[in-house]
Amino acid sequence: MSETKELDYPRYAHVEGHTDVCYSEDGRYLITCGQDGDIRIWDGIEDGDPIEKCVGSEAFAVHQSGDVLYVGDDHHTLQVYTFPKAELIDTLTRFTASVCCLDSSKDGKLIAAGGCDSSIQVVNKDTKSVLNFNGHKSPILSIKFDALAEFLVSSSCDGTVKIWSIEKKSVVKEWTSVIPVSNAFQHSKIKCTPAWDPIDGNLLAIPFGKEIKLFQRGLWRELYTLHDYRLSEQEITVMSWSKCGRYIAAGTNTGFILVWNVSSQVIVLYAECKERYSIRSLVWCPKNGEHTLAYCDDHGQLGLVENARSDDFNIDTTNDKENILMTDEESSDNVISLEQIKHDAEVELNKQRGVSLNNVDGLEIDDDNSNLSSKYIPPTAGFTVDLQSPFQPCSTPVHLQRRFMVFNDVGYARQTNTADENVIDVDFHDNTVHHAFRIKNVLGHTIAAMCQEALVLGCETQDNTPSKLVCVLLNSWDGKREWTVDLPDDDDICGLAVTADWIAVASVSRLLRLFTLGGGQREIISIPGPIVAIHGSRDRLVVVHHCGAPIPGEQNLRYCVYKIDSRVEAVCSGYVPLFPKSTLRWVGFSDYGSLCILDSAGTLRMLIKSYWSPLCYVDNTWNDTTNHYFVIGVSEARQDIRCILCKGSYYPSTTPHPFLNEIPWQIPLCDLNQEKGELEEKFWRSNIALSILPEEDGLQYDKELKTTFLKLFAMACKSGHDMRALELCKLIRSEQYLNLALKYTMRVGNSSLATKITTIIENEAKVDDEPKPVTYSELFNGPSTSYNKNTNYISQQSQDLFSDKYSPHDKEDNNKEVVESSSILAVIKKKQESELMNESNDIDRAFNPFKKKTGGEANISIGTLSPFDQTNEPSSDNKRKSDLNDSSEDINSTNKSKKPKGVSKLSSFIFKK
């Protein structure tokens, strides 16, 4: 066990605040930057006149590689300076906020930078190409390349550590709640600087509060932990891995520096800084054989730790090979070989790194005769999944000091949680309905929901105080403005929804509790999985929950919609569609009650009847990939999305007051940059609106649908795509639109297409006017169908003719239907015979298929004769005509409805509407 070592007083480097330090590649110079906006290049710790350069108001990160120096500052740029002259030569890339951390690959070709806008950029120094990595939700604290430049590890103020695949630009592993969350880089007390094994990158070290965990590359499983009992009252702020790979150093928030031997997992240095300020940066000297640490604290001071492995034992494996490999027979039972133990530990570490056991420190070992033969058997590889945590729609993260607990169409509840005050400000968009007011957040409420009638607040369990639900009534008529209820022990509120008639409370115990607006308890619904989010509107409530272990990196979510009035009824349920590797970002109901979701990739989807349809890629409406939209609501009548533009983040800031934007729908069809794709998008957008909106609200979209249909039809005809034009007609079930398409086809002289359109018109007319097909059971057993007026659905279940439900009048009606059905079959048979007779008729007969059927002719299709049919005919045809007059009336009416053939049979449409 190492004793506490007292360090010399550090020297002044910069003003108080965050300070960063790095070594030059040759280990000669120390480079620092600080909150005064200066960078200083020190030729040793005793340098009294360092090279000094002002780069901005604040400088956050420095990194030296090759012959240049990279600096991240508050100008939102990654600047390149010469080294060691510190002359500005280039701006490598730009961010929308300050650049706060830097790193380079081992060969120096790739430069990684993290910004306060939550984004990471990897720049190729030669080609200047940029790769963007977006996934963190708060400023980036640290980034680090692995030795092979295949992975990039990053930590963020949102409390997560992510491993990125540089080639795929995706997250391959994520750890949550690693550090306390914060809302700014400067306010984060724990910087958390993960580091890769500098030799081959097979190990990754991540500080977790009071210990450092080491993970295996690829499988990302935890191998072992570095810790010390003296860290029980301290937290690790930064860590660094030595260039030789043998030692890991860590700095704490109380001014202590610890060094571990990685192979033996033993503390070799425990040093105390005299002024005990929090360590903000820590780096090893890259010189071979020189184990020196440089550090900076949060008061802008620079210090050195020399001989950082002074308490470690130097092992010369070349001279002690025989002692190391001494067998049990050669050694005494009472002798403990420290060299043997430490060598075994190093061999174990090499196995974990993937180094062959046959070559340890240049020593050839026979597997059959060595007592170092494989004792380490790796456990079975498994995978873990990260389930999305519950969240409240239309709210911002809880860890922010100033946040929106809810922001919807009614108003907002803004929480301020600082050292000076902890209050909730409630304001409304229409101040003529309600006035703004302020609530002291004594109970520590973190979740809220609001409507015109009430504001509902919820807090978590704190010490011995249970989770509470508080309802503030805004339109109370009995004088009671507020009521409170406690949830059972070990149960916390994770979601709230409120409407004019009820309140829904979701809890971590997977229960959905319903309350009346006045505080009465209603039904309790069990949810089959951890609840993710709930939302209520009018008499509808949607619950999204996990429904099983998903594929790694994915989410397996399911939704259920309930109708809540005097009783509770499940309306529909199904799986939630998400973009690959994304999470749920928002869920809610549109203005007309359609269920909508938004995922973290920015895809907004709407549930239309029984299927999900994407309406828009929300974030793509803005050219800057770092900007995102915070969705508030969706409107079908205006076909737009109400949202707030968040520059450089996913969530809006409370100051200044955010402005509401309306972005239009844009269905993600193909070739939207061409006229055809643009018209098709407009066509289907109108179709969606007409399928949801009531008739009086959808008049404008009916006109828009007609216009786009005719334009698409004309475009297809002009380009010679008759099949496409005909298929478009099949999608339109409107006689008016088809008649216009037919007139256009006749005008351009496309007879073959006109004939096919006429067939579609006839089929549509038959479907609308002819009775339903007569079934076998109807002809011989009476009617066996029952008509449902609500669903327009004909039941195919047979009915008992001898049941008491049938009266004599019913039997008379049944016999009447049988007679009518028999007459229909007779008429159809006569119609077929008359069509065969008319095949030899040379007279061209044209008819109007759009004329409505009347009277007793409703059961068969009858057309009107055209003016050409009323002209005088030759005497030879009169005889045939007189023969036809001798036929029955049914055959005459059937002859008139014969389908026309050829252009001459369609020419009558030119003279008729």
Side-chain angles (χ1 to χ4, degrees):
M1 182 186 304
S2 61
E3 300 295 334
T4 303
K5 178 180 179 180
E6 289 191 4
L7 301 177
D8 296 333
Y9 282 101
R11 65 169 300 168
Y12 172 84
H14 297 274
V15 298
E16 181 178 347
H18 169 74
T19 310
D20 192 28
V21 61
C22 74
Y23 268 102
S24 60
E25 285 188 331
D26 58 3
R28 176 182 174 182
Y29 295 98
L30 281 166
I31 305 105
T32 60
C33 68
Q35 296 295 288
D36 51 11
D38 293 340
I39 58 172
R40 292 183 172 90
I41 302 175
W42 311 77
D43 190 359
I45 190 69
E46 301 297 336
D47 187 2
D49 187 19
I51 299 173
E52 196 172 320
K53 181 74 173 182
C54 180
V55 297
S57 300
E58 293 178 308
F60 296 96
V62 289
H63 180 77
Q64 197 273 323
S65 178
D67 57 350
V68 295
L69 178 65
Y70 300 97
V71 179
D73 54 30
D74 60 342
H75 290 165
H76 306 178
T77 58
L78 174 56
Q79 297 181 351
V80 184
Y81 292 84
T82 60
F83 184 78
K85 299 297 183 181
E87 296 177 356
L88 180 62
I89 57 175
D90 193 9
T91 298
L92 205 56
T93 186
R94 294 182 180 276
F95 288 74
T96 58
S98 303
V99 180
C100 47
C101 52
L102 301 170
D103 192 37
S104 66
S105 59
K106 202 169 185 178
D107 57 6
K109 291 183 179 180
L110 299 179
I111 309 299
C116 290
D117 57 2
S118 309
S119 67
I120 299 173
Q121 297 185 25
V122 176
V123 186
N124 189 309
K125 186 176 67 172
D126 299 331
T127 63
K128 298 298 179 66
S129 61
V130 180
L131 300 177
N132 292 294
F133 298 84
N134 297 310
H136 285 295
K137 299 179 180 180
S138 292
I140 310 301
L141 292 173
S142 174
I143 51 176
K144 196 73 175 178
F145 280 106
D146 76 315
L148 303 179
E150 294 178 355
F151 297 106
L152 182 73
V153 62
S154 63
S155 62
S156 170
C157 290
D158 58 12
T160 63
V161 173
K162 297 178 185 285
I163 298 177
W164 307 81
S165 171
I166 297 177
E167 181 181 359
K168 298 179 181 179
K169 296 193 299 183
S170 61
V171 178
V172 298
K173 180 63 179 176
E174 178 180 358
W175 292 272
T176 58
S177 302
V178 179
I179 58 175
V181 294
S182 60
N183 59 354
F185 177 82
Q186 299 93 325
H187 297 163
S188 178
K189 298 179 180 179
I190 308 298
K191 191 176 178 182
C192 183
T193 54
W196 300 86
D197 178 4
I199 304 300
D200 48 21
N202 280 335
L203 291 178
L204 172 64
I206 302 176
F208 278 77
K210 304 178 186 302
E211 59 188 10
I212 297 174
K213 296 182 180 181
L214 283 87
F215 299 87
Q216 184 178 0
R217 175 197 180 96
L219 297 178
W220 315 117
R221 60 182 177 183
E222 183 180 344
L223 297 177
Y224 54 89
T225 302
L226 302 179
H227 55 82
D228 189 77
Y229 72 95
R230 287 166 288 197
L231 289 173
S232 60
E233 298 181 356
Q234 305 179 66
E235 288 190 356
I236 297 174
T237 57
V238 291
M239 60 156 287
S240 179
W241 205 318
S242 65
K243 301 299 180 182
C244 65
R246 288 179 176 270
Y247 304 101
I248 286 181
T252 70
N253 59 341
T254 57
F256 284 88
I257 295 177
L258 299 86
V259 178
W260 284 271
N261 185 310
V262 179
S263 58
S264 63
Q265 305 175 30
V266 175
I267 287 281
V268 297
L269 177 68
Y270 185 74
E272 176 186 2
C273 302
K274 291 186 177 181
E275 295 186 350
R276 303 287 294 276
Y277 294 135
S278 177
I279 307 298
R280 290 294 297 180
S281 55
L282 188 68
V283 63
W284 287 88
C285 179
K287 282 185 180 180
N288 293 330
E290 185 173 340
H291 300 281
T292 302
L293 281 167
Y295 69 92
C296 284
D297 56 33
D298 59 358
H299 277 57
Q301 300 180 112
L302 172 65
L304 285 184
V305 182
E306 297 179 351
N307 194 16
R309 62 176 189 113
S310 58
D311 292 341
D312 197 12
F313 291 94
N314 294 324
I315 304 173
D316 189 356
T317 57
T318 305
N319 298 331
D320 296 337
K321 291 177 185 178
E322 296 180 358
N323 294 333
I324 292 174
L325 299 178
M326 187 168 52
T327 60
D328 292 339
E329 291 82 2
E330 297 174 349
S331 62
S332 172
D333 294 338
N334 297 326
V335 177
I336 298 177
S337 175
L338 180 60
E339 290 78 6
Q340 176 72 34
I341 295 173
K342 300 187 76 172
H343 187 273
D344 287 348
E346 289 192 6
V347 172
E348 190 83 1
L349 180 61
N350 288 330
K351 288 181 184 179
Q352 296 164 7
R353 292 176 175 174
V355 179
S356 174
L357 290 174
N358 296 331
N359 187 3
V360 181
D361 292 338
L363 177 63
E364 294 294 335
I365 301 175
D366 187 2
D367 289 341
D368 296 333
N369 301 325
S370 174
N371 61 347
L372 299 178
S373 59
S374 59
K375 300 176 183 177
Y376 174 74
I377 301 175
T380 304
F383 64 88
T384 58
V385 292
D386 295 325
L387 299 180
Q388 182 176 358
S389 302
F391 72 96
Q392 182 73 7
C394 298
S395 67
T396 55
V398 179
H399 67 268
L400 300 177
Q401 292 181 345
R402 292 176 175 84
R403 56 180 289 260
F404 288 111
M405 302 177 72
V406 61
F407 193 115
N408 56 22
D409 295 327
V410 177
Y412 63 84
R414 183 180 63 232
Q415 179 186 8
T416 303
N417 184 14
T418 62
D420 299 330
E421 59 180 352
N422 188 1
V423 296
I424 299 174
D425 294 303
V426 182
D427 201 353
F428 301 90
H429 302 314
D430 187 0
N431 289 328
T432 60
V433 179
H434 299 296
H435 293 291
F437 59 91
R438 168 173 284 196
I439 302 174
K440 289 186 178 181
N441 194 9
V442 179
L443 297 176
H445 294 294
T446 58
I447 188 170
M450 183 168 60
C451 67
Q452 291 281 6
E453 287 74 19
L455 169 69
V456 184
L457 302 171
C459 65
E460 298 178 350
T461 303
Q462 299 176 3
D463 298 331
N464 297 326
T465 304
S467 181
K468 290 181 179 292
L469 172 69
V470 176
C471 178
V472 180
L473 299 175
L474 304 176
N475 292 324
S476 175
W477 55 270
D478 61 353
K480 299 294 184 181
R481 294 293 304 274
E482 182 178 323
W483 56 267
T484 305
V485 64
D486 295 344
L487 265 67
D489 295 338
D490 301 327
D491 198 7
D492 283 338
I493 298 175
C494 63
L496 291 175
V498 60
T499 66
D501 301 314
W502 46 263
I503 298 170
V505 181
S507 63
V508 295
S509 60
R510 305 179 186 179
L511 294 178
L512 188 67
R513 302 175 183 271
L514 298 180
F515 297 85
T516 64
L517 208 62
Q521 299 190 53
R522 290 191 51 177
E523 297 89 345
I524 300 179
I525 305 171
S526 291
I527 306 299
I531 298 175
V532 178
I534 66 172
H535 181 79
S537 177
R538 299 182 181 92
D539 62 343
R540 291 293 190 270
L541 173 69
V542 60
V543 180
V544 179
H545 61 88
H546 294 284
C547 59
I551 300 172
E554 301 281 351
Q555 299 295 325
N556 189 12
L557 303 180
R558 193 173 178 86
Y559 72 91
C560 186
V561 178
Y562 296 92
K563 181 182 179 182
I564 304 175
D565 41 30
S566 59
R567 59 191 180 92
V568 179
E569 179 184 359
V571 178
C572 62
S573 63
Y575 290 96
V576 177
L578 297 175
F579 193 82
K581 309 294 183 182
S582 66
T583 56
L584 185 64
R585 191 160 131 197
W586 176 81
V587 61
F589 290 100
S590 65
D591 292 351
Y592 284 83
S594 300
L595 182 60
C596 301
I597 62 169
L598 176 71
D599 56 33
S600 58
T603 307
L604 181 70
R605 294 177 175 88
M606 176 180 286
L607 183 62
I608 303 174
K609 296 182 179 179
S610 60
Y611 66 92
W612 288 94
S613 177
L615 297 183
C616 183
Y617 290 144
V618 176
D619 294 337
N620 290 358
T621 57
W622 191 270
N623 295 329
D624 195 341
T625 58
T626 62
N627 296 336
H628 305 279
Y629 281 100
F630 185 77
V631 174
I632 302 298
V634 179
S635 173
E636 295 97 329
R638 297 188 301 272
Q639 289 195 346
D640 60 17
I641 305 163
R642 298 185 297 277
C643 51
I644 299 172
L645 175 62
C646 308
K647 294 186 177 181
S649 66
Y650 284 90
Y651 306 103
S653 60
T654 57
T655 53
H657 188 277
F659 291 97
L660 204 62
N661 296 302
E662 294 181 349
I663 60 176
W665 294 3
Q666 187 178 43
I667 301 176
L669 299 180
C670 301
D671 297 330
L672 289 178
N673 55 346
Q674 300 180 7
E675 184 181 5
K676 172 179 170 292
E678 184 179 350
L679 289 174
E680 288 174 338
E681 190 272 338
K682 194 174 183 180
F683 175 84
W684 286 110
R685 186 156 37 84
S686 302
N687 252 321
I688 292 176
L690 289 175
S691 66
I692 299 174
L693 296 174
E695 183 176 357
E696 58 274 11
D697 294 340
L699 296 178
Q700 58 172 330
Y701 297 109
D702 184 70
K703 182 179 180 181
E704 184 177 296
L705 183 68
K706 176 181 178 180
T707 304
T708 53
F709 165 72
L710 294 177
K711 287 183 179 179
L712 284 170
F713 183 83
M715 185 181 298
C717 292
K718 288 181 181 180
S719 59
H721 291 88
D722 292 351
M723 180 180 291
R724 182 188 299 168
L726 186 65
E727 292 169 345
L728 189 62
C729 292
K730 293 179 181 179
L731 295 174
I732 290 290
R733 302 181 63 88
S734 171
E735 185 177 322
Q736 179 186 8
Y737 295 170
L738 292 175
N739 193 10
L740 293 173
L742 182 61
K743 287 184 178 181
Y744 178 83
T745 308
M746 293 299 302
R747 189 176 293 113
V748 298
N750 194 337
S751 59
S752 61
L753 181 58
T755 304
K756 296 182 182 300
I757 296 176
T758 304
T759 304
I760 297 176
I761 296 174
E762 284 184 332
N763 293 335
E764 290 295 331
K766 289 180 181 179
V767 170
D768 294 337
D769 297 334
E770 290 186 359
K772 299 293 181 182
V774 181
T775 62
Y776 181 87
S777 61
E778 287 177 333
L779 289 175
F780 298 100
N781 298 328
S784 61
T785 61
S786 60
Y787 184 72
N788 189 336
K789 294 181 180 180
N790 294 330
T791 59
N792 295 331
Y793 174 72
I794 298 179
S795 173
Q796 298 300 326
Q797 297 179 355
S798 62
Q799 299 178 0
D800 186 3
L801 296 180
F802 302 99
S803 173
D804 295 337
K805 296 180 180 179
Y806 291 91
S807 64
H809 299 286
D810 297 333
K811 295 179 180 179
E812 292 177 2
D813 295 339
N814 295 342
N815 294 333
K816 184 179 179 181
E817 290 183 11
V818 173
V819 173
E820 290 181 356
S821 302
S822 301
S823 63
I824 292 172
L825 294 177
V827 171
I828 293 174
K829 184 175 181 181
K830 291 179 181 180
K831 177 181 176 182
Q832 294 175 351
E833 293 175 355
S834 64
E835 287 180 353
L836 292 175
M837 294 176 60
N838 289 335
E839 289 294 333
S840 59
N841 192 354
D842 296 330
I843 302 174
D844 291 332
R845 302 173 186 271
F847 68 98
N848 185 358
F850 302 109
K851 186 173 181 179
K852 301 293 183 181
K853 285 75 181 177
T854 59
E857 302 171 348
N859 292 329
I860 55 178
S861 177
I862 300 177
T864 57
L865 291 175
S866 67
F868 294 102
D869 296 321
Q870 300 174 3
T871 58
N872 295 328
E873 298 182 357
S875 59
S876 60
D877 294 334
N878 291 333
K879 182 178 180 180
R880 183 178 299 173
K881 187 173 182 180
S882 64
D883 294 337
L884 293 176
N885 291 330
D886 295 335
S887 303
S888 65
E889 293 180 1
D890 293 335
I891 298 177
N892 281 333
S893 61
T894 306
N895 289 340
K896 295 177 183 180
S897 63
K898 185 179 75 65
K899 178 180 177 180
K901 297 183 178 180
V903 178
S904 61
K905 300 175 185 179
L906 300 172
S907 59
S908 62
F909 290 113
I910 301 175
F911 305 98
K912 297 182 179 181
K913 293 185 179 180

